Amino acid sequence: MSGDETRVTLPPLVEPAAELTKDEVARYSRHLIIPDVGMEGQKRLKNAKVLVIGAGGLGSPALLYLAAAGVGTLGIVEFDAVDESNLHRQIIHGQSDLNRSKGESAKDSIAEVNPLVQVNLHETHLTSENALDIFRDYDLILDGTDNFATRYLVNDAAVLLGKPYVWGSIFRFEGQASVFWDAHGPNYRDLYPEPPPPGMVPSCAEGGVLGVLCASIGSIMVNEAIKLIVGIGETLLGRLMIYDALEMSYRTVKIRKDPSADEVTELIDYETFCGVVSDDAQQAAAGSTITPRELKDKFDSGEKFELVDVREPHEYEIVKIDGSTLIPKDRILSGEALAELPQDRQIVLHCKTGGRSAEALSALHNAGFSNAVHVGGGVTGWANEIDQSLPTY
Amino acid sequence: MTITINGQQRRIEESTTLADVLEEFGTPARGVAVAVDGAVVPRASWPRTQLRPEATVEILTAVQGG
């Protein structure tokens, strides 16, 4: 892993501010006495405008450290509200922030960490229509979103505007991070030209994430952001960092521009590009989806049917609907479990929220179980609408 | 000759390309990056990438969480 030939010296991204006040000198003194940062580097941080996409797992530690480091302007793109299941990792939010806007909650925490930081909230979904306008005012973007569609949107918008961005993603015990800057090196599409097929790679909501992993990857992202702004060190541009928390290993692999990659010329429909739910699943679900209430009615009427939970065993252990049988989705998709399904009654599938059960439903329809249906909203919908004594996760 | 793919040793024919090895290993066509000896090989180059003896192939999966 020598890779020296791929490394490029990047100029500082941001011009220095005119001065630091007496208070700022006091606050940032431990930065100022590092020769590589010094007064000039800190003035560059003061002048920097950084946009963070998502105040969630990665955005939480990233925003706190960017603020503490003295980045003068922080933008936050976030539309969501704080949920109890966020608190094990999204440390910018606390107990008293439950149900508040994540943007407002993050802004308050930042003000407590460093009142000198200007925070701009963009409380909206990032879309192909608004991304370029939002990005335009910033020097650098940090991508800490939780879905492939937004990740490709962030990449393409950054490419079109010629801006660098720091990228990180996490799943269970593994994290990946890099710097993408099409003007000087590879972009995200040179690494992953297309997203995986829908359903192949679970999200954190489906697969889980070790809370502290957010800090491991979020701090790498801030580290790279500071280096880009100040113009020091070797950034991750042209390299992918892979962190494995179980092995406790950090490795890098080189990434180079793919000469055969299609040029990014415009923003597209990213939901369609990523096929959020596959076409097959969408077709299967159309007309074959019942609500949690309709499932309750089936139970109450004494109707004979088979309720199949297609989640994983450890999820079944957290919460289940009484009377359900566990058959994980992959066993249905592979055909292995088809023989276990009864032929003499209707099959009703459910999962956590309805995505995986739609995939499995498509396989059942193809296998001849033509009257099979699935429960839109899954066990989460059941817990919210029918049986509030059940936990959600 | 022998190569290492995701930590497992495999015996392959001399003329085998990266694309052949990935197909045999059941690698999905989308959402993965493949590094050979520490450098990602763009997908379009898989069919014409010859592996050297003792090569290390690593299949990386895109994750979306944040």
Side-chain angles (χ1 to χ4, degrees):
Chain A
M1 238 176 297
S2 63
D4 293 337
E5 74 276 15
T6 61
R7 299 213 177 142
V8 263
T9 309
L10 298 169
L13 191 59
V14 179
E15 288 304 309
E19 56 164 22
L20 294 184
T21 64
K22 183 168 177 286
D23 286 348
E24 286 168 336
V25 169
R27 173 178 286 266
Y28 305 122
S29 67
R30 298 300 187 275
H31 269 177
L32 300 179
I33 56 179
I34 307 174
D36 304 86
V37 181
M39 282 295 278
E40 189 179 290
Q42 194 64 48
K43 286 177 185 172
R44 291 187 196 278
L45 290 169
K46 180 178 177 178
N47 234 4
K49 294 178 174 167
V50 176
L51 180 69
V52 177
I53 318 290
L58 293 171
S60 288
L63 283 164
L64 290 173
Y65 271 111
L66 287 167
V71 169
T73 304
L74 285 173
I76 304 172
V77 182
E78 179 62 82
F79 61 88
D80 212 355
V82 180
D83 181 79
E84 208 159 6
S85 68
N86 301 149
L87 298 182
H88 95 301
R89 68 189 184 287
Q90 299 184 13
I91 54 161
I92 205 166
H93 314 298
Q95 186 68 28
S96 61
D97 298 316
L98 283 177
N99 302 318
R100 284 185 74 200
S101 120
K102 281 190 180 179
E104 290 290 344
S105 162
K107 188 176 181 178
D108 289 352
S109 298
I110 289 169
E112 184 62 23
V113 168
N114 188 348
L116 305 177
V117 175
Q118 162 73 36
V119 176
N120 303 331
L121 292 185
H122 306 274
E123 297 196 276
T124 176
H125 284 269
L126 193 70
T127 66
S128 298
E129 285 70 44
N130 64 21
L132 295 174
D133 284 337
I134 294 175
F135 282 22
R136 220 180 297 273
D137 292 335
Y138 294 91
D139 303 302
L140 176 67
I141 294 117
L142 259 73
D143 178 9
T145 51
D146 61 0
N147 64 86
F148 285 118
T150 311
R151 289 185 176 282
Y152 282 93
L153 167 59
V154 171
N155 179 73
D156 292 359
V159 169
L160 290 176
L161 293 171
K163 291 185 191 284
Y165 82 103
V166 185
W167 169 92
S169 68
I170 49 175
F171 180 64
R172 292 187 178 159
F173 296 99
E174 193 191 290
Q176 301 179 5
S178 190
V179 171
F180 295 116
W181 194 358
D182 199 58
H184 293 273
N187 72 65
Y188 182 50
R189 288 174 182 270
D190 293 312
L191 176 64
Y192 296 116
E194 296 149 348
M200 190 187 96
V201 176
S203 65
C204 288
E206 291 163 350
V209 61
L210 189 73
V212 70
L213 182 67
C214 301
S216 309
I217 299 301
S219 68
I220 290 175
M221 293 170 73
V222 174
N223 189 68
E224 296 307 292
I226 291 172
K227 283 157 60 184
L228 286 163
I229 292 164
V230 176
I232 53 174
E234 305 272 4
T235 71
L236 281 176
L237 183 67
R239 290 184 294 158
L240 174 71
M241 167 69 80
I242 304 152
Y243 170 63
D244 184 324
L246 286 180
E247 279 180 15
M248 190 41 76
S249 65
Y250 287 93
R251 300 173 294 124
T252 58
V253 294
K254 282 187 282 176
I255 314 166
R256 60 174 194 261
K257 278 192 93 66
D258 178 355
S260 64
D262 292 335
E263 199 185 333
V264 176
T265 55
E266 58 175 353
L267 300 181
I268 56 173
D269 180 338
Y270 292 89
E271 300 272 314
T272 304
F273 176 63
C274 295
V276 173
V277 176
S278 72
D279 293 348
D280 288 349
Q282 248 167 12
Q283 257 174 22
S288 299
T289 302
I290 62 169
T291 63
R293 170 62 53 193
E294 286 167 327
L295 176 62
K296 175 79 162 56
D297 292 344
K298 277 177 173 292
F299 276 121
D300 291 348
S301 69
E303 193 184 323
K304 211 171 147 203
F305 66 97
E306 183 78 10
L307 181 63
V308 177
D309 184 337
V310 302
R311 296 174 302 153
E312 299 299 315
H314 61 272
E315 296 179 86
Y316 196 67
E317 217 171 279
I318 299 169
V319 57
K320 63 174 190 284
I321 301 175
D322 280 339
S324 64
T325 308
L326 177 72
I327 305 181
K329 178 199 78 179
D330 286 348
R331 296 192 57 233
I332 292 175
L333 297 189
S334 69
E336 178 196 338
L338 293 177
E340 297 165 30
L341 296 170
Q343 305 275 353
D344 60 342
R345 65 195 100 147
Q346 187 188 31
I347 293 168
V348 179
L349 302 176
H350 83 84
C351 62
K352 184 181 176 187
T353 56
R356 284 173 283 175
S357 56
E359 300 283 342
L361 184 65
S362 161
L364 284 195
H365 285 175
N366 289 338
F369 294 87
S370 53
N371 67 345
V373 295
H374 85 131
V375 182
V379 68
T380 306
W382 178 265
N384 288 335
E385 292 167 39
I386 308 298
D387 184 355
Q388 277 100 8
S389 73
L390 294 179
T392 56
Y393 65 99
Chain B
M1 66 186 195
T2 307
I3 60 162
T4 305
I5 180 162
N6 277 12
Q8 297 173 28
Q9 298 242 314
R10 288 269 172 135
R11 285 201 66 79
I12 61 165
E13 298 295 318
E14 297 276 334
S15 59
T16 313
T17 66
L18 179 58
D20 298 333
V21 170
L22 293 173
E23 194 183 332
E24 199 185 313
F25 208 74
T27 309
R30 289 165 55 109
V32 296
V34 177
V36 176
D37 297 328
V40 172
V41 179
R43 166 126 39 104
S45 308
W46 293 357
R48 53 173 188 273
T49 300
Q50 293 285 328
L51 295 168
R52 61 165 187 87
E54 310 298 316
T56 301
V57 177
E58 194 172 0
I59 302 161
L60 305 162
T61 304
V63 292
Q64 59 186 326

